[in-house]
Amino acid sequence: DGGITQSPKYLFRKEGQNVTLSCEQNLNHDAMYWYRQDPGQGLRLIYYSQIVNDFQKGDIAEGYSVSREKKESFPLTVTSAQKNPTAFYLCASSPRAQGGKGSPLHFGNGTRLTVT
Amino acid sequence: AQTVTQSQPEMSVQEAETVTLSCTYDTSESDYYLFWYKQPPSRQMILVIRQEAYKQQNATENRFSVNFQKAAKSFSLKISDSQLGDAAMYFCAYSSGTYKYIFGTGTRLKVLA
């Protein structure tokens, strides 16, 4: 079955270390997204990519970086510059048809990152 | 800028009863889409229902239906015959075609046996 796989489910890091969250999809979707979820704040967009080798900053991109070398993969690196990295991170994808308009997002199961 | 507001942080409903979750949004666009997503304790986000703004007819998916009031910019979700498995966070979301989906802050639904 097609879907989005995020790994690992739980991740623990020491402050000052960079960490990379994995996101792989086999839905053949062109667009991929990273969201951050904090209690009481809903989902906030970190980065999105419409196509391979292209990505755009979202609303809270500072302290994060991404790459999109393959259609199936969109890893997110949380750098030491991110001041409050402890959060739940969700990866999503959508077809590019209609310019992304109206296509529902498909989500992975998320990664809970804890930085101490 | 577009915004999505869910004014009910938490709601409760008795099993088998009906509950309505509220969502309002603000936009100057005429062509857009609205969604309700469910996030159960597993934290997997699941699409519940989708509404196209240019369609007058309210979307329905089994026990889930929406009341879409375009002029009032309101998009409420009605859950009929509530089941224990409906307990979750529910998020309202807006998309107008820029690859940006704007989410509300969510409503936690508790279902009482």
Side-chain angles (χ1 to χ4, degrees):
Chain A
D1 288 339
I4 300 177
T5 301
Q6 289 187 244
S7 60
K9 188 172 182 178
Y10 299 97
L11 193 53
F12 298 88
R13 279 294 183 271
K14 295 289 187 183
E15 196 173 319
Q17 294 179 334
N18 291 354
V19 60
T20 297
L21 282 60
S22 169
C23 178
E24 303 278 333
Q25 56 102 356
N26 60 4
L27 298 167
N28 199 34
H29 286 170
D30 288 295
M32 296 187 74
Y33 312 75
W34 274 106
Y35 287 91
R36 170 177 171 144
Q37 185 176 16
D38 295 284
Q41 295 196 47
L43 276 67
R44 293 183 290 167
L45 181 65
I46 304 172
Y47 269 98
Y48 68 99
S49 167
Q50 300 178 39
I51 199 167
V52 174
N53 293 323
D54 180 70
F55 47 83
Q56 308 295 326
K57 291 183 179 179
D59 301 315
I60 56 166
E62 185 176 350
Y64 299 97
S65 66
V66 293
S67 63
R68 187 86 187 278
E69 298 176 2
K70 298 187 299 181
K71 186 176 184 177
E72 301 80 15
S73 179
F74 191 42
L76 173 74
T77 297
V78 184
T79 75
S80 57
Q82 168 50 232
K83 295 179 181 176
N84 187 19
T86 294
F88 186 67
Y89 292 87
L90 281 162
C91 179
S93 71
S94 70
R96 196 159 68 108
Q98 301 178 295
K101 186 184 297 185
S103 302
L105 293 172
H106 297 252
F107 286 89
N109 287 334
T111 293
R112 172 68 184 178
L113 173 65
T114 302
V115 177
T116 59
Chain B
Q2 296 95 348
T3 59
V4 175
T5 302
Q6 293 180 252
S7 58
Q8 306 155 315
E10 190 170 297
M11 294 280 287
S12 295
V13 62
Q14 205 70 34
E15 198 176 3
E17 296 295 310
T18 296
V19 64
T20 299
L21 308 184
S22 300
C23 173
T24 58
Y25 59 95
D26 188 24
T27 184
S28 58
E29 302 282 342
S30 59
D31 187 16
Y32 53 87
Y33 295 77
L34 297 162
F35 309 86
W36 278 99
Y37 283 89
K38 171 185 177 180
Q39 187 179 44
S42 67
R43 306 201 75 172
Q44 169 88 50
M45 293 282 282
I46 302 163
L47 177 68
V48 175
I49 204 161
R50 169 181 175 271
Q51 175 77 43
E52 300 169 40
Y54 64 86
K55 286 190 175 179
Q56 297 288 340
Q57 188 173 6
N58 289 324
T60 300
E61 287 288 340
N62 300 314
R63 297 182 295 107
F64 298 86
S65 62
V66 298
N67 183 7
F68 174 49
Q69 302 289 329
K70 190 171 184 178
K73 296 180 182 175
S74 172
F75 182 61
S76 61
L77 175 70
K78 186 173 83 171
I79 306 174
S80 304
D81 185 26
S82 296
Q83 301 174 1
L84 294 176
D86 294 334
M89 283 288 288
Y90 287 81
F91 291 94
C92 178
Y94 165 100
S95 173
S96 65
T98 59
Y99 292 97
K100 281 194 166 184
Y101 296 73
I102 300 167
F103 287 82
T105 52
T107 296
R108 181 173 301 281
L109 178 65
K110 295 184 177 181
V111 181
L112 309 173

